[in-house]
Amino acid sequence: MERDLTRERIIKAASDLLTQGGRDAVSTRAVCTAAGVQSPTLYRLFGDKDGLLDAVASHGFESYMADKTALAETDDPVDDLRRGWDLHVSFGLANPACYVLIYGETRPGVESTAARRSAAVLAARVRRIAEVGRLRVSEERAAHLVHATGSGLTFSLISMPEERRDPALSVMAREAIIAAITTGDSPTADAGPTGIAVALRAVAPRLTALSAAERALLTEWMDRVAASEG
């Protein structure tokens, strides 16, 4: 219990410093002073500063993830994706320092725990669109495009003075991406071979009439079709 309370106090102190002064303000000395602990305690609980920052990002992201996962699924997975996009942008604008901490790391292969969790939620939403035959491109390409555009837009809006932010930018970007990766209201009809292949790949794990090897082979074939058509 005492360990958990100390950990929470350190994360709270680091979060406050992050909000007030950005990442540069979160030095181990400043955090220890604000939390009333010695540096060995911080290193014992978090390993190093990167471990602390990862914990801070996850802590700040909890409310966002709670809201995101609480979004009730509807019969329209494309509209669910819209609502997820809007929540993502809103979180970034309301919590710019935390957002930059989560998504601002540009080193190849480096991703925060919070960012990985968010990516998993996005992948699940894209999978639902694929399952109903309304995805024009592969699931992976769709998820990457949504994330890249959404985060890029959010960073751009964060960098603007509040009075210059145009709310229509997010809507326009969102609808452009949705038009690029999804079909119309009718499943598979507008998607061509790629949409059919992506839909079949998405439901392949549930085709229990096939053996595991056959499902794996089907997935490989559909990936090949989607790549060649896309």
Side-chain angles (χ1 to χ4, degrees):
M1 177 65 75
E2 183 177 350
R3 177 188 174 91
D4 291 341
L5 291 175
T6 300
R7 189 176 189 278
E8 290 178 10
R9 190 165 74 251
I10 293 173
I11 290 176
K12 174 65 166 56
S15 297
D16 290 344
L17 289 168
L18 178 69
T19 299
Q20 295 163 12
R23 180 170 181 151
D24 290 343
V26 189
S27 68
T28 53
R29 177 177 296 179
V31 172
C32 288
T33 298
V37 299
Q38 300 297 316
S39 57
T41 300
L42 186 150
Y43 291 122
R44 184 172 65 253
L45 292 173
F46 301 99
D48 54 19
K49 182 179 177 179
D50 287 340
L52 172 62
L53 290 173
D54 191 57
V56 170
S58 294
H59 174 77
F61 217 49
E62 284 302 322
S63 60
Y64 166 63
M65 289 302 297
D67 289 340
K68 190 162 188 168
T69 54
L71 285 177
E73 292 183 353
T74 70
D75 293 335
D76 187 346
V78 176
D79 197 52
D80 291 346
L81 181 63
R82 283 190 176 92
R83 294 187 297 139
W85 172 293
D86 292 343
L87 182 62
H88 180 98
V89 175
S90 296
F91 171 80
L93 296 181
N95 305 273
C98 185
Y99 189 88
V100 172
L101 179 60
I102 294 166
Y103 291 111
E105 180 60 75
T106 57
R107 286 183 295 157
V110 175
E111 189 177 43
S112 69
T113 301
R116 285 195 297 273
R117 291 175 61 195
S118 178
V121 174
L122 174 58
R125 295 198 180 280
V126 170
R127 168 60 61 90
R128 289 188 63 233
I129 299 174
E131 289 176 343
V132 298
R134 293 183 59 188
L135 205 59
R136 292 183 185 275
V137 298
S138 71
E139 293 177 47
E140 182 179 27
R141 179 172 292 179
H144 284 287
L145 190 57
V146 171
H147 170 68
T149 308
S151 59
L153 171 81
T154 305
F155 278 123
S156 294
L157 292 175
I158 287 173
S159 69
M160 296 179 185
E162 286 191 39
E163 65 274 11
R164 289 182 53 200
R165 292 174 184 167
D166 180 1
L169 289 177
S170 179
V171 176
M172 293 173 68
R174 183 193 70 200
E175 293 308 306
I177 293 302
I178 287 177
I181 67 173
T182 70
T183 68
D185 292 336
S186 58
T188 69
D190 301 329
T194 297
I196 295 171
V198 170
L200 189 53
R201 185 200 186 283
V203 300
R206 302 206 303 265
L207 301 178
T208 55
L210 302 179
S211 68
E214 288 169 334
R215 291 195 295 272
L217 184 57
L218 177 61
T219 298
E220 180 183 343
W221 285 344
M222 295 305 98
D223 280 341
R224 194 181 307 169
V225 171
S228 65
E229 294 291 334

